[in-house]
Amino acid sequence: MGNQEKLTLSIQIEMLQFNVMRMRTVAWTLMYVSAIITIIHYGELFFTKTEREMVPAYIGIHIILFYIDLAVLLFVTEKRIKVTSLNLRKYETILLAYIYTILLLITVITLMDVHFFKHAALYEVLFLMICTFFSLPFKKIFWIMLLTLPSILISAYLSVGISGESIKIFLPMSLIIPMGIIIQRHNFKIKRQFTKQHILLQEEMTKSKNLSKLLAEKNNELSEQVLRDTLTNLPNRRAFNNKLTQIGQQLSKPKSLSVMMIDIDFFKNLNDYYGHLQGDEALIKVAALLDEIAEKYNAFAARWGGEEFVIVSQHAAKFSEHVCEEILEEVRNLNIRHERSAVADVVTVSIGLCHAKISNSEQLKACCVLADQALYTAKQNGRNNFFSKNGNFDNDL
Protein backbone atom coordinates (compact mmCIF):
# COMPACT_ATOMS: atom_id res chain seq x y z
CA MET A 1 0.00 0.00 0.00
CA GLY A 2 1.40 3.37 -1.09
CA ASN A 3 1.72 6.43 1.13
CA GLN A 4 -1.25 8.14 -0.53
CA GLU A 5 -3.45 5.06 -0.05
CA LYS A 6 -2.41 4.84 3.61
CA LEU A 7 -3.24 8.51 4.10
CA THR A 8 -6.66 8.08 2.46
CA LEU A 9 -7.41 5.06 4.65
CA SER A 10 -6.31 6.93 7.79
CA ILE A 11 -8.61 9.84 6.89
CA GLN A 12 -11.54 7.46 6.38
CA ILE A 13 -10.89 5.78 9.73
CA GLU A 14 -10.64 9.03 11.70
CA MET A 15 -13.71 10.57 10.07
CA LEU A 16 -15.75 7.43 10.62
CA GLN A 17 -14.64 7.36 14.28
CA PHE A 18 -15.82 10.97 14.57
CA ASN A 19 -19.16 10.22 12.90
CA VAL A 20 -19.82 7.12 14.97
CA MET A 21 -19.23 9.07 18.17
CA ARG A 22 -21.55 11.84 16.88
CA MET A 23 -24.32 9.23 16.85
CA ARG A 24 -24.49 9.71 20.63
CA THR A 25 -25.29 13.42 20.29
CA VAL A 26 -28.02 12.75 17.72
CA ALA A 27 -29.41 9.89 19.82
CA TRP A 28 -29.64 12.07 22.95
CA THR A 29 -31.41 14.80 20.97
CA LEU A 30 -33.90 12.45 19.33
CA MET A 31 -34.64 10.68 22.62
CA TYR A 32 -35.58 14.03 24.12
CA VAL A 33 -37.71 14.94 21.08
CA SER A 34 -39.41 11.52 21.07
CA ALA A 35 -40.18 11.71 24.77
CA ILE A 36 -41.71 15.21 24.53
CA ILE A 37 -43.76 14.44 21.40
CA THR A 38 -44.99 11.13 22.88
CA ILE A 39 -46.19 12.90 26.03
CA ILE A 40 -47.98 15.58 23.98
CA HIS A 41 -49.64 13.05 21.71
CA TYR A 42 -50.58 10.77 24.58
CA GLY A 43 -52.59 13.55 26.20
CA GLU A 44 -54.49 14.20 22.94
CA LEU A 45 -55.23 17.74 24.20
CA PHE A 46 -54.31 19.63 21.07
CA PHE A 47 -55.95 17.50 18.41
CA THR A 48 -59.36 17.35 16.80
CA LYS A 49 -61.28 14.11 16.68
CA THR A 50 -60.04 13.39 13.15
CA GLU A 51 -56.42 14.14 14.10
CA ARG A 52 -56.61 11.76 17.05
CA GLU A 53 -56.75 8.88 14.61
CA MET A 54 -53.05 9.20 13.93
CA VAL A 55 -51.99 9.37 17.63
CA PRO A 56 -51.35 5.61 18.09
CA ALA A 57 -49.15 5.57 14.98
CA TYR A 58 -47.27 8.69 16.21
CA ILE A 59 -46.67 7.19 19.63
CA GLY A 60 -45.66 3.82 18.17
CA ILE A 61 -43.05 5.32 15.83
CA HIS A 62 -41.62 7.60 18.53
CA ILE A 63 -41.33 4.69 20.94
CA ILE A 64 -39.42 2.76 18.24
CA LEU A 65 -37.15 5.82 17.73
CA PHE A 66 -36.64 6.10 21.50
CA TYR A 67 -35.43 2.52 21.85
CA ILE A 68 -33.23 2.75 18.74
CA ASP A 69 -31.55 5.82 20.22
CA LEU A 70 -31.24 4.13 23.60
CA ALA A 71 -29.49 1.17 21.93
CA VAL A 72 -27.09 3.59 20.22
CA LEU A 73 -26.24 5.25 23.56
CA LEU A 74 -25.55 1.88 25.15
CA PHE A 75 -23.51 0.61 22.22
CA VAL A 76 -21.51 3.68 21.20
CA THR A 77 -18.94 4.53 23.89
CA GLU A 78 -15.34 5.75 23.70
CA LYS A 79 -14.00 2.58 25.30
CA ARG A 80 -15.99 0.17 23.17
CA ILE A 81 -15.75 1.77 19.73
CA LYS A 82 -12.38 1.79 18.00
CA VAL A 83 -12.52 2.02 14.21
CA THR A 84 -9.70 0.21 12.38
CA SER A 85 -9.03 -0.89 8.83
CA LEU A 86 -10.45 -4.31 9.74
CA ASN A 87 -13.83 -3.11 11.02
CA LEU A 88 -14.16 0.02 8.85
CA ARG A 89 -16.97 -1.40 6.69
CA LYS A 90 -18.88 -2.74 9.69
CA TYR A 91 -19.06 0.60 11.48
CA GLU A 92 -19.80 2.45 8.25
CA THR A 93 -22.77 0.11 7.73
CA ILE A 94 -23.95 0.70 11.32
CA LEU A 95 -23.71 4.49 10.90
CA LEU A 96 -25.61 4.57 7.60
CA ALA A 97 -28.20 2.07 8.88
CA TYR A 98 -28.86 4.38 11.84
CA ILE A 99 -29.17 7.50 9.68
CA TYR A 100 -31.37 5.80 7.09
CA THR A 101 -33.59 4.19 9.75
CA ILE A 102 -34.31 7.39 11.69
CA LEU A 103 -34.87 9.38 8.48
CA LEU A 104 -37.28 6.77 7.16
CA LEU A 105 -39.21 6.71 10.43
CA ILE A 106 -39.27 10.50 10.57
CA THR A 107 -40.48 10.48 6.95
CA VAL A 108 -43.45 8.30 7.96
CA ILE A 109 -44.27 10.79 10.75
CA THR A 110 -43.82 13.70 8.31
CA LEU A 111 -46.27 12.13 5.85
CA MET A 112 -48.88 12.19 8.63
CA ASP A 113 -47.88 15.75 9.57
CA VAL A 114 -48.32 16.84 5.97
CA HIS A 115 -51.75 15.21 5.81
CA PHE A 116 -53.10 16.44 9.15
CA PHE A 117 -51.11 19.60 9.98
CA LYS A 118 -49.82 20.77 6.59
CA HIS A 119 -46.10 21.00 7.58
CA ALA A 120 -42.88 18.93 7.34
CA ALA A 121 -41.04 20.57 10.24
CA LEU A 122 -39.77 17.37 11.91
CA TYR A 123 -38.17 16.07 8.70
CA GLU A 124 -36.58 19.47 7.99
CA VAL A 125 -35.12 19.69 11.50
CA LEU A 126 -33.74 16.16 11.43
CA PHE A 127 -32.30 16.59 7.92
CA LEU A 128 -30.56 19.81 9.02
CA MET A 129 -29.27 18.06 12.15
CA ILE A 130 -27.79 15.18 10.12
CA CYS A 131 -26.12 17.60 7.70
CA THR A 132 -24.68 19.60 10.61
CA PHE A 133 -23.60 16.84 13.00
CA PHE A 134 -22.22 14.24 10.58
CA SER A 135 -19.36 14.68 8.13
CA LEU A 136 -20.43 12.44 5.25
CA PRO A 137 -19.86 12.48 1.47
CA PHE A 138 -22.85 13.89 -0.41
CA LYS A 139 -23.50 10.58 -2.17
CA LYS A 140 -24.26 8.99 1.22
CA ILE A 141 -26.91 11.67 1.87
CA PHE A 142 -28.21 11.68 -1.70
CA TRP A 143 -29.63 8.16 -1.62
CA ILE A 144 -31.70 8.71 1.51
CA MET A 145 -32.91 12.04 0.09
CA LEU A 146 -33.96 10.17 -3.04
CA LEU A 147 -35.94 7.74 -0.89
CA THR A 148 -37.67 10.30 1.35
CA LEU A 149 -38.03 13.71 -0.32
CA PRO A 150 -40.12 12.67 -3.33
CA SER A 151 -42.64 10.87 -1.12
CA ILE A 152 -43.04 13.96 1.10
CA LEU A 153 -43.44 16.28 -1.89
CA ILE A 154 -45.94 13.97 -3.55
CA SER A 155 -47.89 13.68 -0.30
CA ALA A 156 -47.91 17.46 0.05
CA TYR A 157 -49.19 17.91 -3.48
CA LEU A 158 -51.93 15.32 -2.98
CA SER A 159 -52.96 16.87 0.34
CA VAL A 160 -53.04 20.60 -0.53
CA GLY A 161 -52.24 20.79 -4.22
CA ILE A 162 -50.98 24.13 -5.47
CA SER A 163 -52.68 26.52 -3.10
CA GLY A 164 -52.11 28.97 -0.31
CA GLU A 165 -51.76 26.08 2.13
CA SER A 166 -48.90 24.59 0.15
CA ILE A 167 -46.67 27.55 0.99
CA LYS A 168 -46.39 26.19 4.56
CA ILE A 169 -44.78 23.04 3.21
CA PHE A 170 -42.90 23.93 0.03
CA LEU A 171 -41.34 27.22 1.11
CA PRO A 172 -39.58 25.92 4.27
CA MET A 173 -38.43 22.81 2.41
CA SER A 174 -37.15 24.84 -0.54
CA LEU A 175 -35.05 26.87 1.93
CA ILE A 176 -33.93 24.33 4.54
CA ILE A 177 -33.07 21.36 2.29
CA PRO A 178 -30.64 23.35 0.06
CA MET A 179 -29.19 24.99 3.19
CA GLY A 180 -28.65 21.55 4.69
CA ILE A 181 -26.89 20.34 1.53
CA ILE A 182 -24.62 23.42 1.51
CA ILE A 183 -23.80 22.94 5.20
CA GLN A 184 -23.18 19.22 4.63
CA ARG A 185 -20.77 19.77 1.73
CA HIS A 186 -18.90 22.54 3.54
CA ASN A 187 -18.81 20.53 6.78
CA PHE A 188 -17.46 17.43 5.01
CA LYS A 189 -14.80 19.40 3.12
CA ILE A 190 -13.56 21.25 6.20
CA LYS A 191 -13.58 18.15 8.39
CA ARG A 192 -11.70 16.11 5.78
CA GLN A 193 -9.07 18.82 5.37
CA PHE A 194 -8.69 19.18 9.14
CA THR A 195 -8.38 15.40 9.57
CA LYS A 196 -5.78 15.21 6.82
CA GLN A 197 -3.69 17.97 8.41
CA HIS A 198 -4.04 16.34 11.82
CA ILE A 199 -2.83 12.97 10.51
CA LEU A 200 0.10 14.55 8.66
CA LEU A 201 1.02 16.51 11.78
CA GLN A 202 0.86 13.35 13.89
CA GLU A 203 3.10 11.56 11.40
CA GLU A 204 5.61 14.41 11.47
CA MET A 205 5.55 14.44 15.27
CA THR A 206 6.09 10.66 15.32
CA LYS A 207 8.97 10.98 12.86
CA SER A 208 10.45 13.82 14.90
CA LYS A 209 10.07 11.82 18.11
CA ASN A 210 11.68 8.74 16.55
CA LEU A 211 14.48 10.88 15.13
CA SER A 212 15.06 12.51 18.52
CA LYS A 213 15.13 9.07 20.12
CA LEU A 214 17.58 7.82 17.49
CA LEU A 215 19.78 10.90 17.95
CA ALA A 216 19.72 10.42 21.72
CA GLU A 217 20.74 6.78 21.30
CA LYS A 218 23.53 7.75 18.91
CA ASN A 219 24.69 10.48 21.29
CA ASN A 220 24.73 7.97 24.13
CA GLU A 221 26.69 5.56 21.97
CA LEU A 222 29.17 8.30 21.05
CA SER A 223 29.44 9.37 24.68
CA GLU A 224 30.14 5.80 25.68
CA GLN A 225 32.67 5.42 22.87
CA VAL A 226 34.44 8.60 24.00
CA LEU A 227 34.72 7.12 27.50
CA ARG A 228 35.75 3.64 26.31
CA ASP A 229 39.17 2.34 25.39
CA THR A 230 38.86 1.15 21.79
CA LEU A 231 41.16 -1.84 22.24
CA THR A 232 40.10 -3.35 25.57
CA ASN A 233 36.59 -1.84 25.79
CA LEU A 234 37.32 -0.86 29.38
CA PRO A 235 36.57 2.68 30.58
CA ASN A 236 39.47 4.92 29.57
CA ARG A 237 41.51 7.51 31.50
CA ARG A 238 38.86 10.18 30.95
CA ALA A 239 36.14 7.86 32.28
CA PHE A 240 38.33 7.12 35.29
CA ASN A 241 38.76 10.83 36.01
CA ASN A 242 34.99 11.27 35.72
CA LYS A 243 34.55 8.41 38.20
CA LEU A 244 36.92 10.11 40.64
CA THR A 245 34.93 13.33 40.35
CA GLN A 246 31.67 11.45 40.88
CA ILE A 247 33.00 9.68 43.97
CA GLY A 248 34.30 12.98 45.34
CA GLN A 249 30.92 14.67 44.86
CA GLN A 250 29.15 11.84 46.69
CA LEU A 251 31.41 11.97 49.73
CA SER A 252 29.28 13.27 52.59
CA LYS A 253 31.52 11.64 55.21
CA PRO A 254 34.91 9.85 55.19
CA LYS A 255 34.76 6.65 53.18
CA SER A 256 37.15 3.69 53.04
CA LEU A 257 38.54 3.34 49.49
CA SER A 258 41.25 1.32 47.78
CA VAL A 259 43.06 2.19 44.54
CA MET A 260 45.02 -0.53 42.70
CA MET A 261 47.46 0.38 39.94
CA ILE A 262 48.18 -2.69 37.79
CA ASP A 263 51.02 -2.96 35.26
CA ILE A 264 51.83 -5.88 32.91
CA ASP A 265 55.40 -6.98 33.60
CA PHE A 266 57.94 -6.55 30.78
CA PHE A 267 55.26 -5.64 28.29
CA LYS A 268 57.73 -3.91 25.93
CA ASN A 269 59.67 -7.16 25.67
CA LEU A 270 56.40 -8.98 24.87
CA ASN A 271 55.62 -6.52 22.07
CA ASP A 272 59.13 -6.62 20.65
CA TYR A 273 59.37 -10.43 20.66
CA TYR A 274 55.83 -11.53 19.71
CA GLY A 275 54.70 -8.45 17.79
CA HIS A 276 52.10 -5.81 18.50
CA LEU A 277 49.18 -8.02 17.54
CA GLN A 278 50.16 -10.55 20.19
CA GLY A 279 50.75 -7.69 22.63
CA ASP A 280 47.26 -6.31 21.93
CA GLU A 281 45.80 -9.78 22.46
CA ALA A 282 47.50 -9.96 25.88
CA LEU A 283 46.11 -6.53 26.81
CA ILE A 284 42.59 -7.60 25.81
CA LYS A 285 42.73 -10.81 27.86
CA VAL A 286 44.14 -9.10 30.96
CA ALA A 287 41.58 -6.28 30.63
CA ALA A 288 38.70 -8.77 30.37
CA LEU A 289 39.93 -10.56 33.49
CA LEU A 290 40.23 -7.31 35.47
CA ASP A 291 36.77 -6.23 34.35
CA GLU A 292 35.36 -9.57 35.50
CA ILE A 293 37.04 -9.32 38.92
CA ALA A 294 35.93 -5.69 39.32
CA GLU A 295 32.33 -6.62 38.54
CA LYS A 296 32.55 -9.52 40.98
CA TYR A 297 33.53 -7.19 43.85
CA ASN A 298 31.42 -4.19 42.75
CA ALA A 299 34.54 -2.19 41.88
CA PHE A 300 35.46 0.07 38.96
CA ALA A 301 38.16 -0.96 36.48
CA ALA A 302 39.69 1.23 33.76
CA ARG A 303 42.67 1.34 31.43
CA TRP A 304 45.11 3.89 32.81
CA GLY A 305 47.21 3.94 29.68
CA GLY A 306 49.61 1.69 27.77
CA GLU A 307 49.91 -1.56 29.72
CA GLU A 308 48.62 -0.02 32.97
CA PHE A 309 45.17 -0.51 34.50
CA VAL A 310 43.50 0.86 37.61
CA ILE A 311 40.77 -0.46 39.93
CA VAL A 312 38.89 1.55 42.58
CA SER A 313 36.94 -0.34 45.25
CA GLN A 314 35.19 0.43 48.53
CA HIS A 315 36.60 -2.36 50.65
CA ALA A 316 38.72 -2.71 53.74
CA ALA A 317 42.51 -2.89 53.39
CA LYS A 318 42.75 -6.63 54.12
CA PHE A 319 40.06 -7.44 51.57
CA SER A 320 41.78 -5.27 48.95
CA GLU A 321 45.01 -7.18 49.56
CA HIS A 322 43.05 -10.41 48.99
CA VAL A 323 41.81 -9.00 45.68
CA CYS A 324 45.39 -8.14 44.67
CA GLU A 325 46.47 -11.71 45.36
CA GLU A 326 43.54 -13.00 43.31
CA ILE A 327 44.49 -10.74 40.39
CA LEU A 328 48.11 -11.94 40.47
CA GLU A 329 47.01 -15.58 40.46
CA GLU A 330 44.29 -15.24 37.82
CA VAL A 331 46.59 -13.36 35.42
CA ARG A 332 49.16 -16.15 35.70
CA ASN A 333 46.39 -18.68 35.10
CA LEU A 334 45.66 -17.01 31.75
CA ASN A 335 48.86 -18.78 30.58
CA ILE A 336 49.77 -16.14 28.03
CA ARG A 337 53.25 -17.10 26.80
CA HIS A 338 55.98 -14.56 27.64
CA GLU A 339 59.45 -15.98 27.06
CA ARG A 340 61.05 -12.56 27.40
CA SER A 341 59.84 -12.03 30.98
CA ALA A 342 62.47 -12.06 33.71
CA VAL A 343 60.06 -13.40 36.37
CA ALA A 344 58.02 -16.13 34.62
CA ASP A 345 57.38 -17.77 31.26
CA VAL A 346 53.82 -16.39 31.22
CA VAL A 347 52.41 -12.89 31.46
CA THR A 348 52.35 -11.53 35.01
CA VAL A 349 51.42 -8.20 36.58
CA SER A 350 52.66 -5.96 39.36
CA ILE A 351 50.21 -4.08 41.58
CA GLY A 352 50.48 -0.96 43.68
CA LEU A 353 47.77 -0.63 46.32
CA CYS A 354 46.75 2.41 48.31
CA HIS A 355 44.08 2.18 50.98
CA ALA A 356 42.78 5.23 52.85
CA LYS A 357 39.81 6.94 54.37
CA ILE A 358 38.81 9.57 51.85
CA SER A 359 36.73 12.65 52.61
CA ASN A 360 37.23 14.71 49.42
CA SER A 361 38.30 14.36 45.77
CA GLU A 362 41.76 15.82 46.41
CA GLN A 363 42.52 13.03 48.85
CA LEU A 364 41.28 10.53 46.31
CA LYS A 365 43.72 11.89 43.72
CA ALA A 366 46.47 11.76 46.33
CA CYS A 367 45.59 8.10 46.95
CA CYS A 368 46.07 7.43 43.21
CA VAL A 369 49.54 8.98 43.41
CA LEU A 370 50.40 6.75 46.38
CA ALA A 371 49.12 3.69 44.48
CA ASP A 372 51.40 4.62 41.57
CA GLN A 373 54.34 4.94 43.98
CA ALA A 374 53.42 1.55 45.50
CA LEU A 375 53.43 0.07 41.98
CA TYR A 376 56.96 1.41 41.45
CA THR A 377 58.01 -0.26 44.72
CA ALA A 378 56.39 -3.57 43.65
CA LYS A 379 58.45 -3.48 40.44
CA GLN A 380 61.62 -2.79 42.41
CA ASN A 381 60.80 -5.74 44.67
CA GLY A 382 60.97 -8.17 41.76
CA ARG A 383 57.55 -7.73 40.00
CA ASN A 384 54.77 -10.35 39.90
CA ASN A 385 53.68 -9.11 43.32
CA PHE A 386 51.90 -6.24 45.01
CA PHE A 387 52.95 -3.53 47.43
CA SER A 388 50.56 -1.64 49.67
CA LYS A 389 50.63 1.89 51.03
CA ASN A 390 48.18 3.34 53.50
CA GLY A 391 47.12 6.91 52.92
CA ASN A 392 46.99 8.88 56.14
CA PHE A 393 44.88 11.97 55.51
CA ASP A 394 43.75 12.51 59.10
CA ASN A 395 45.40 15.91 59.20
CA ASP A 396 43.28 17.00 56.24
CA LEU A 397 39.94 15.92 57.76
Side-chain angles (χ1 to χ4, degrees):
M1 185 182 290
N3 291 335
Q4 191 60 40
E5 291 176 338
K6 287 181 180 179
L7 177 60
T8 302
L9 180 60
S10 297
I11 292 172
Q12 288 178 348
I13 290 171
E14 281 214 19
M15 291 190 69
L16 183 56
Q17 180 79 34
F18 169 82
N19 284 325
V20 170
M21 298 313 301
R22 278 300 179 94
M23 288 169 63
R24 289 181 61 84
T25 307
V26 175
W28 274 116
T29 305
L30 288 182
M31 280 181 69
Y32 171 76
V33 171
S34 296
I36 295 299
I37 291 178
T38 300
I39 292 170
I40 292 173
H41 283 72
Y42 188 77
E44 299 184 359
L45 299 176
F46 306 102
F47 309 119
T48 64
K49 184 176 180 180
T50 305
E51 291 168 348
R52 288 174 186 171
E53 296 174 0
M54 55 75 182
V55 168
Y58 261 79
I59 293 175
I61 294 172
H62 279 292
I63 289 174
I64 293 171
L65 275 171
F66 182 88
Y67 282 110
I68 289 173
D69 293 323
L70 180 61
V72 167
L73 291 175
L74 294 175
F75 175 71
V76 179
T77 62
E78 289 282 356
K79 293 181 179 178
R80 184 177 297 179
I81 302 298
K82 182 63 178 177
V83 179
T84 65
S85 58
L86 299 176
N87 59 28
L88 180 67
R89 297 305 171 202
K90 182 182 80 171
Y91 284 122
E92 186 177 43
T93 302
I94 292 172
L95 173 66
L96 293 177
Y98 175 68
I99 293 173
Y100 278 41
T101 300
I102 61 174
L103 260 177
L104 287 171
L105 290 173
I106 292 297
T107 299
V108 175
I109 294 174
T110 303
L111 291 175
M112 290 188 286
D113 283 341
V114 168
H115 179 73
F116 288 104
F117 304 109
K118 308 301 184 285
H119 72 78
L122 197 57
Y123 180 90
E124 293 159 0
V125 170
L126 184 61
F127 182 79
L128 199 59
M129 185 189 301
I130 289 171
C131 291
T132 304
F133 283 18
F134 295 111
S135 295
L136 295 167
F138 178 69
K139 63 181 180 180
K140 304 292 184 183
I141 302 294
F142 174 76
W143 292 111
I144 190 62
M145 287 173 59
L146 197 62
L147 283 171
T148 57
L149 270 177
S151 61
I152 294 173
L153 294 174
I154 292 170
S155 176
Y157 178 75
L158 294 175
S159 297
V160 297
I162 304 298
S163 64
E165 288 291 322
S166 64
I167 196 75
K168 297 178 183 179
I169 301 173
F170 293 114
L171 181 60
M173 292 193 73
S174 64
L175 293 174
I176 292 175
I177 300 302
M179 283 173 56
I181 293 172
I182 292 170
I183 291 170
Q184 179 274 326
R185 292 177 68 85
H186 180 74
N187 188 20
F188 176 72
K189 182 179 178 182
I190 294 297
K191 181 61 182 177
R192 183 178 176 82
Q193 185 64 27
F194 174 81
T195 303
K196 180 180 179 180
Q197 294 300 324
H198 175 72
I199 291 171
L200 292 174
L201 180 61
Q202 287 292 108
E203 288 179 354
E204 289 300 319
M205 289 176 64
T206 302
K207 287 179 183 178
S208 178
K209 186 178 179 180
N210 291 338
L211 182 60
S212 297
K213 184 179 178 181
L214 181 62
L215 286 173
E217 290 174 356
K218 292 297 181 184
N219 284 335
N220 289 336
E221 288 178 10
L222 288 173
S223 298
E224 289 180 4
Q225 289 175 7
V226 168
L227 298 175
R228 287 276 169 184
D229 176 60
T230 54
L231 177 64
T232 63
N233 202 36
L234 280 179
N236 57 20
R237 181 75 170 268
R238 179 184 292 182
F240 178 74
N241 291 335
N242 290 348
K243 184 66 175 179
L244 293 187
T245 302
Q246 181 185 350
I247 293 173
Q249 291 172 345
Q250 293 174 348
L251 287 172
S252 57
K253 59 181 181 180
K255 183 179 292 186
S256 180
L257 288 172
S258 295
V259 178
M260 305 171 204
M261 289 289 182
I262 304 156
D263 183 82
I264 297 179
D265 295 328
F266 302 105
F267 184 74
K268 185 177 184 304
N269 296 347
L270 179 72
N271 260 341
D272 292 342
Y273 184 72
Y274 293 101
H276 287 283
L277 290 179
Q278 199 75 6
D280 288 347
E281 188 67 26
L283 285 172
I284 292 170
K285 288 181 179 180
V286 171
L289 174 65
L290 296 177
D291 190 38
E292 183 181 330
I293 292 173
E295 185 177 356
K296 176 181 174 182
Y297 295 114
N298 196 27
F300 179 81
R303 187 180 181 187
W304 184 257
E307 68 272 21
E308 286 189 70
F309 302 90
V310 60
I311 293 178
V312 179
S313 68
Q314 301 177 24
H315 295 101
K318 286 296 181 184
F319 188 82
S320 297
E321 290 176 0
H322 165 74
V323 173
C324 290
E325 290 171 352
E326 182 177 343
I327 291 171
L328 293 171
E329 182 180 356
E330 292 298 329
V331 170
R332 289 192 294 266
N333 289 341
L334 289 175
N335 288 319
I336 303 171
R337 295 294 299 168
H338 190 355
E339 297 178 17
R340 288 298 183 266
S341 172
V343 293
D345 57 357
V346 295
V347 166
T348 59
V349 294
S350 298
I351 305 173
L353 169 66
C354 174
H355 179 80
K357 277 199 171 183
I358 307 296
S359 59
N360 55 60
S361 55
E362 292 302 318
Q363 292 176 354
L364 185 54
K365 292 176 182 177
C367 191
C368 291
V369 173
L370 290 175
D372 197 47
Q373 292 173 1
L375 173 62
Y376 181 75
T377 304
K379 289 181 179 180
Q380 284 186 323
N381 290 344
R383 303 178 190 259
N384 190 25
N385 60 20
F386 76 91
F387 186 80
S388 176
K389 278 191 174 187
N390 287 325
N392 186 2
F393 302 121
D394 290 341
N395 294 331
D396 298 331
L397 298 177

